[in-house]
């Protein structure tokens, strides 16, 4: 089995619950037919090579914060536009997680590279997070392209993006810890591990919703879309790799 598929199913077992049979089958088949580059040794090696530069690592944490913040806003619009209250609540919780992650990446930047950020730019960086909480009014941004009810296709794309984020997270951990002063390393590891548990949960709830679609007569669409979107994602990841960029969602 492909490494990315294996890791996903393992993380679902330990952090969520075992994947449903349709989801599992669609994921394993998609990873076999369109093997994700982020599940390869070469991806890891390319990451390690670029991450040897501390400036790159610091900048990538800022990009991570930005990516999480933007993703959070998109999820918020999706949640606000999804009529099924049970599903919308889960997307809203996801948006709140990603909003918190944007702040967590700024905190990790501070812990790892304490001299990089001055007070002025810290405030700017923290504003990369929309700062959502359960009490924030659930309304979509005006004319947002994400302001529509969530579809099976959206869920599959989110699921694959979250798998890539999880893999990225696992590769990032030792490199980041190595940059951190020993007395701050424990705090950094705790923050980083908490994010990983969240990402595993994001894979988990989207996998469950995908399984529900499959059980309601969409099993063929699940299989087809998983493969199609995996191929699309692979092309994007290869492009990112060429630019030395590793952007989580
Ligand atoms: Fe995240
Ligand atoms: Fe996530």
């Amino acid at each position: 089995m492909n490494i990315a598929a294996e890791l996903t199913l393992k993380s679902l077992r330990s952090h969520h619950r075992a994947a449903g049979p349709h989801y599992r089958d669609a994921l394993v088949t998609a990873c076999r037919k369109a093997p994700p580059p982020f599940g390869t040794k070469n991806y890891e090696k390319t990451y390690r090579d670029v991450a040897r530069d501390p400036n790159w690592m610091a900048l990538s944490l800022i990009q991570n914060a930005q990516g999480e913040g933007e993703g959070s806003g998109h999820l918020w619009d999706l949640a606000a536009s999804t009529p099924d209250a049970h599903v919308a609540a889960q997307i809203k919780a996801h948006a709140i997680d990603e909003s918190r992650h944007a702040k967590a990446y700024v905190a990790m930047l501070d812990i790892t590279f304490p001299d990089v950020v001055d007070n002025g730019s810290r405030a700017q960086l923290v504003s990369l997070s929309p700062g959502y909480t359960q009490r924030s009014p659930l309304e979509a941004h005006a004319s947002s392209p994400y302001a529509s009810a969530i579809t099976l296709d959206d869920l599959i794309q989110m699921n694959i993006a979250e798998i890539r984020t999880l893999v990225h997270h696992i590769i990032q951990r030792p490199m980041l810890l190595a940059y951190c002063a020993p007395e701050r390393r424990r705090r950094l590891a705790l923050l980083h591990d908490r994010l990983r548990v969240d990402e595993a949960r994001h894979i988990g709830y989207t996998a469950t919703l995908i399984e529900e679609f499959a059980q309601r007569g969409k099993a063929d669409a699940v299989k087809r879309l998983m493969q199609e979107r995996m191929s699309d994602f692979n092309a994007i990841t290869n492009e990112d790799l060429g630019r030395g960029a590793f952007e989580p969602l």
Side-chain angles (χ1 to χ4, degrees):
M1 196 190 295
N2 176 280
I3 284 180
E6 203 175 318
L7 193 108
T8 303
L9 297 173
K10 198 174 127 207
S11 119
L12 284 179
R13 277 196 301 272
S14 50
H15 291 292
H16 192 74
R17 57 177 131 127
H22 292 287
Y23 170 79
R24 189 191 143 85
D25 185 35
L27 176 73
V28 172
T29 309
C31 284
R32 195 181 59 238
K33 295 202 171 163
F38 49 82
T40 63
K41 282 276 162 222
N42 185 44
Y43 185 84
E44 199 175 335
K45 188 187 171 304
T46 310
Y47 181 89
R48 288 224 183 100
D49 286 347
V50 287
R52 238 169 244 140
D53 174 1
N55 292 319
W56 182 92
M57 181 55 101
L59 189 66
S60 94
L61 292 173
I62 296 173
Q63 284 170 342
N64 289 172
Q66 191 178 8
E68 298 273 354
E70 284 170 7
S72 170
H74 301 161
L75 288 163
W76 196 258
D77 294 345
L78 269 173
S81 317
T82 296
D84 182 323
H86 174 64
V87 176
Q90 296 181 70
I91 309 167
K92 182 182 169 189
H94 185 176
I96 294 170
D97 281 351
E98 304 298 16
S99 170
R100 196 176 56 245
H101 291 181
K103 285 186 190 158
Y105 272 110
V106 178
M108 290 195 281
L109 175 70
D110 251 341
I111 296 172
T112 315
F113 303 104
D115 302 327
V116 164
V117 190
D118 57 41
N119 286 340
S121 40
R122 182 175 304 107
Q124 249 183 327
L125 288 173
V126 169
S127 75
L128 290 171
S129 164
Y132 293 135
T133 68
Q134 277 298 345
R135 284 183 299 281
S136 308
L138 190 56
E139 285 160 13
H141 297 86
S143 67
S144 163
Y146 298 91
S148 50
I150 198 156
T151 62
L152 173 62
D153 193 6
D154 292 331
L155 284 167
I156 285 178
Q157 292 189 54
M158 282 157 66
N159 184 263
I160 297 170
E162 294 289 343
I163 294 173
R164 188 177 75 160
T165 303
L166 180 69
V167 172
H168 176 264
H169 221 73
I170 292 167
I171 301 172
Q172 184 187 53
R173 193 180 193 277
M175 297 296 287
L176 192 60
L177 285 175
Y179 279 119
C180 186
E183 65 274 18
R184 289 192 289 270
R185 216 168 269 159
R186 210 179 113 75
R187 249 184 84 208
L188 177 65
L190 267 173
L191 258 177
H192 205 265
D193 290 348
R194 241 180 260 154
L195 255 67
R196 196 187 55 213
V197 173
D198 286 349
E199 303 304 2
R201 194 173 55 243
H202 301 158
I203 299 175
Y205 94 91
T206 48
T208 301
L209 291 174
I210 293 167
E211 181 70 23
E212 284 172 19
F213 265 98
Q215 307 228 350
R216 288 197 308 259
K218 298 266 189 229
D220 287 346
V222 165
K223 249 189 145 165
R224 178 178 53 80
L225 277 169
M226 187 65 106
Q227 218 172 290
E228 245 175 67
R229 293 311 187 188
M230 189 68 82
S231 300
D232 293 348
F233 229 82
N234 292 350
I236 296 167
T237 305
N238 280 327
E239 237 173 74
D240 285 354
L241 264 184
R243 291 185 293 114
F246 293 82
E247 295 171 29
L249 291 163

